[in-house]
Amino acid sequence: MQRISPSRTPMAEYDASLLWTALGLLMFGLVMVYSASIAVAETSKFAGGKSSYFLVRHSIFLATSLVAGMLVFQVSMRRWQQVAPFLFTTGVVLLALVLMPGFGREVNGASRWLSLGIVTVQPSELMKLFAVLYAADYTVRKAALMHSFKRGLLPMLVVMLIVGWLLLHEPDFGAFVVITAIATTILFLGGMNGRWFAALLALLAVGFAGLVLSSPYRMQRIFGFMDPWSDPYGKGYQLSHALIAFGRGEWLGVGLGASVEKLLYLPEAHTDFLLAVIGEELGFAGVSVVIALFAWLVIRAFSIGRLAVKLERPYSALVAQGIAVWLGVQALINMGVNMGVLPTKGLTLPLMSFGGSGILANCVALAILLRIDWESRQMMKGQPA
């Protein structure tokens, strides 16, 4: 690998554009969550009719997550690599607890949450972060065996099948897709044999098709996605109202706070379908800004990973690239679902949608990304990280 000599020119301590892009998405999300949730809050018994209910909770989530991010930034990547297997094991245990009577909390027919007194945790959101850290650690440790199916690929495949089984029993097909994309990409970037990678992709395609065909619920999602207007009051209800929201927004939107679809017409307007509300209120211009911010976030994450590769920091490089894949794939799926390009999935828009576990996991991931960048810059300056 290319060795980079210490820089003699002044360098920033961190990637300012990455930080401000992330903060911009977080603050933009806070505003839009409030706008999208007012009607739901005013009509929900648990919210007590307070229009600011979700705004207050989301603000608390943001503040807690930002503090967590600042603390996480202090932890070295060497330490993250050491605890990665333990964190991954903890994530698997949490996913198992969700399925056990008395531990898991069921909402809308899905058991994805653990109730811990005053807070509710969604383990699948934390598992995305743990999967990044563990897959990168596994790939670095098994680097010499990545061309062997039995000793390189098979152990990780077994582990991910266990995770997938737990996620599909919640069910959380969206999280399964994202975690599969994370693990597969990290293995490929870490040097997996090209033939095994092609075979794995083919296996995944067959597996996903089998999962869809074997589940009437998923089949309905597919058919509803292909023609939502055939059953606009049934399986096509969410998508049809999301498309109406985008149509009403046109180029510049109807104005912040003026959405009609959020008035109990569009389900999950402040979570899964937040982008549709943005499209209605801020139009094509607002949606374009969101897409551009996410694109820049992913580009910067991959750039940080490439610098780590040049500095011969393989674990940090794979973690950075894994975070880029995670945020990019999840954002892409959420946007595709909102716009009717992909079947409906229960995936939120990273950094923006309402949800404590998701915001926490995203902020911690970005703090780790900034830590990778900071350590690389310290090495460029010839200083210990």
Side-chain angles (χ1 to χ4, degrees):
M1 289 187 182
Q2 177 184 357
R3 174 74 68 175
I4 297 180
S5 60
S7 173
R8 296 183 180 180
T9 58
M11 290 183 61
E13 293 293 327
Y14 61 93
D15 190 328
S17 68
L18 172 66
L19 178 61
W20 286 112
T21 299
L23 290 175
L25 285 168
L26 289 169
M27 294 304 105
F28 192 8
L30 178 64
V31 173
M32 294 311 304
V33 163
Y34 179 45
S35 177
S37 65
I38 292 176
V40 177
E42 289 179 341
T43 57
S44 297
K45 294 181 179 179
F46 61 83
K50 297 179 180 179
S51 61
S52 61
Y53 175 80
F54 289 101
L55 171 65
V56 172
R57 287 179 64 84
H58 197 67
S59 298
I60 294 173
F61 295 155
L62 273 180
T64 304
S65 300
L66 289 173
V67 171
M70 288 186 284
L71 294 175
V72 163
F73 181 78
Q74 309 302 318
V75 181
S76 69
M77 291 309 299
R78 183 181 298 106
R79 184 60 177 164
W80 281 115
Q81 186 172 7
Q82 292 171 348
V83 301
F86 171 76
L87 291 175
F88 188 79
T89 303
T90 301
V92 173
V93 172
L94 292 176
L95 289 178
L97 285 176
V98 165
L99 302 177
M100 295 182 180
F103 290 95
R105 177 186 172 189
E106 185 173 324
V107 178
N108 295 330
S111 297
R112 302 177 184 175
W113 296 267
L114 286 175
S115 183
L116 304 177
I118 61 174
V119 297
T120 302
V121 177
Q122 188 173 353
S124 60
E125 292 292 341
L126 303 179
M127 195 62 189
K128 295 169 187 173
L129 173 62
F130 299 159
V132 170
L133 298 172
Y134 177 73
D137 172 60
Y138 177 89
T139 303
V140 171
R141 285 188 288 109
K142 301 282 188 176
L145 303 173
M146 279 293 104
H147 292 278
S148 168
F149 175 80
K150 184 177 180 180
R151 301 177 63 187
L153 177 60
L154 184 59
M156 174 59 84
L157 186 60
V158 170
V159 169
M160 297 315 299
L161 285 174
I162 294 172
V163 172
W165 185 87
L166 292 171
L167 288 170
L168 291 174
H169 277 73
E170 292 186 4
D172 195 344
F173 189 69
F176 174 57
V177 171
V178 173
I179 290 174
T180 299
I182 291 170
T184 304
T185 304
I186 288 178
L187 286 171
F188 175 70
L189 294 173
M192 180 196 296
N193 182 286
R195 287 177 299 174
W196 292 126
F197 180 70
L200 179 60
L201 290 181
L203 180 63
L204 288 174
V206 172
F208 284 139
L211 288 171
V212 170
L213 294 173
S214 64
S215 170
Y217 170 73
R218 296 191 188 102
M219 286 288 288
Q220 289 181 358
R221 286 286 183 93
I222 293 294
F223 286 123
F225 145 73
M226 294 173 64
D227 186 10
W229 308 110
S230 64
D231 188 10
Y233 298 104
K235 58 179 178 289
Y237 184 80
Q238 279 183 307
L239 179 54
S240 61
H241 280 278
L243 294 176
I244 291 172
F246 281 110
R248 292 192 73 246
E250 297 184 347
W251 290 100
L252 299 177
V254 297
L256 184 62
S259 167
V260 172
E261 286 300 318
K262 72 183 182 184
L263 303 179
L264 306 183
Y265 294 105
L266 178 62
E268 309 298 336
H270 59 302
T271 55
D272 298 357
F273 284 87
L274 185 67
L275 188 70
V277 178
I278 295 174
E280 184 178 5
E281 296 190 346
L282 303 178
F284 177 79
V287 173
S288 297
V289 169
V290 173
I291 293 173
L293 289 173
F294 273 108
W296 184 248
L297 194 73
V298 172
I299 289 171
R300 292 310 310 153
F302 273 115
S303 296
I304 290 171
R306 284 197 300 270
L307 179 58
V309 170
K310 293 179 181 179
L311 292 169
E312 299 182 3
R313 304 177 62 215
Y315 178 70
S316 295
L318 290 174
V319 169
Q321 292 162 344
I323 292 172
V325 170
W326 164 19
L327 297 179
V329 168
Q330 183 165 334
L332 185 64
I333 292 175
N334 178 271
M335 292 174 185
V337 167
N338 275 251
M339 297 177 187
V341 180
L342 295 173
T344 304
K345 291 283 175 291
L347 278 175
T348 57
L349 189 60
L351 298 169
M352 297 189 71
S353 293
F354 177 82
S357 299
I359 292 293
L360 176 63
N362 295 159
C363 287
V364 169
L366 288 169
I368 293 174
L369 192 58
L370 286 167
R371 175 71 191 198
I372 294 170
D373 181 54
W374 181 82
E375 289 185 1
S376 294
R377 290 170 187 250
Q378 293 300 107
M379 291 183 66
M380 290 281 286
K381 294 192 294 186
Q383 298 177 7

